Amino acid sequence: VAKMSGVLLPGMAEQPIKEADQKYLEKHKIKDLMAFLLKEIITTKPKDPIQFLVDALSFEDPEMATQDKYGLSAYRKRRLLEIFHQMDKNRSGYVSYKEVQAHSSKYGGQALTESELREVFRDFDQTGDNKISEEEFLLFFSRAVQTMDNSEFDNLVMEMLD
């Protein structure tokens, strides 16, 4: 009778269990996966290690789980920058209030008053230069999407893109 996690399994010898476990681990490349995840957590020290693990196991390309200094995965950062570039109609590298206003009227969901929209714009514009940089955009959204799971995040992005 073999012991597995303190439980006796009747009729199974310990060696066949170990062999079955080893085959399972090899078949699904679990050792490689765990080594990759541990290495990434230790070397990159993601801001949100749990979300990193969820993303690394969810995405086809685990590299898309790598987080930036704001805790945004490479996947989320790429998707948010798609929105930023769609808003940046004149390709200046910044989003002006007029560009936010135009985007909001097209994709805003619930209508914001002029003063509410200006307040949101000020929340984005950390430097007060009346334009939103990619960095400011990502910082704002890193806070806004922090508690969203990937499905909720994808729905948000779909509502904001053409």
Side-chain angles (χ1 to χ4, degrees):
V1 178
K3 290 182 184 179
M4 183 176 251
S5 302
V7 177
L8 296 176
L9 300 175
M12 293 195 79
E14 192 168 332
Q15 190 58 31
I17 292 173
K18 286 182 180 178
E19 289 172 12
D21 290 347
Q22 188 63 33
K23 286 180 183 176
Y24 178 84
L25 293 173
E26 289 171 5
K27 177 182 177 185
H28 296 285
K29 300 177 182 161
I30 301 295
K31 284 184 178 181
D32 294 340
L33 175 62
M34 296 308 288
F36 167 77
L37 293 174
L38 187 57
K39 177 183 158 268
E40 286 298 307
I41 286 175
I42 290 170
T43 58
T44 65
K45 294 178 180 41
K47 187 171 183 174
D48 186 344
I50 302 301
Q51 187 63 50
F52 167 79
L53 290 170
V54 168
D55 289 344
L57 294 170
S58 301
F59 297 145
E60 222 172 280
D61 177 3
E63 292 295 323
M64 294 305 288
T66 303
Q67 295 178 2
D68 67 8
K69 63 186 174 185
Y70 304 124
L72 285 172
S73 67
Y75 171 77
R76 287 185 178 202
K77 182 176 181 176
R78 180 178 54 97
R79 298 294 294 177
L80 289 170
L81 287 175
E82 287 177 41
I83 297 168
F84 180 88
H85 293 124
Q86 178 176 292
M87 292 174 76
D88 182 16
K89 295 291 185 195
N90 66 2
R91 302 292 180 239
S92 66
Y94 295 93
V95 176
S96 69
Y97 176 76
K98 285 193 179 285
E99 288 170 322
V100 169
Q101 194 175 35
H103 193 271
S104 177
S105 66
K106 187 172 181 181
Y107 302 97
Q110 72 181 62
L112 297 175
T113 66
E114 180 78 15
S115 64
E116 289 171 330
L117 190 58
R118 286 206 180 275
E119 189 174 324
V120 169
F121 185 82
R122 280 192 295 274
D123 287 343
F124 272 97
D125 183 19
Q126 296 291 301
T127 59
D129 60 0
N130 292 317
K131 55 188 178 181
I132 301 168
S133 68
E134 284 185 2
E135 193 76 11
E136 290 169 321
F137 190 83
L138 294 172
L139 174 60
F140 178 89
F141 271 105
S142 70
R143 295 186 302 245
V145 303
Q146 187 175 22
T147 60
M148 290 182 180
D149 65 30
N150 287 330
S151 177
E152 293 169 318
F153 174 78
D154 287 337
N155 287 337
L156 172 74
V157 170
M158 293 308 290
E159 290 174 6
M160 297 179 75
L161 285 174
D162 285 333

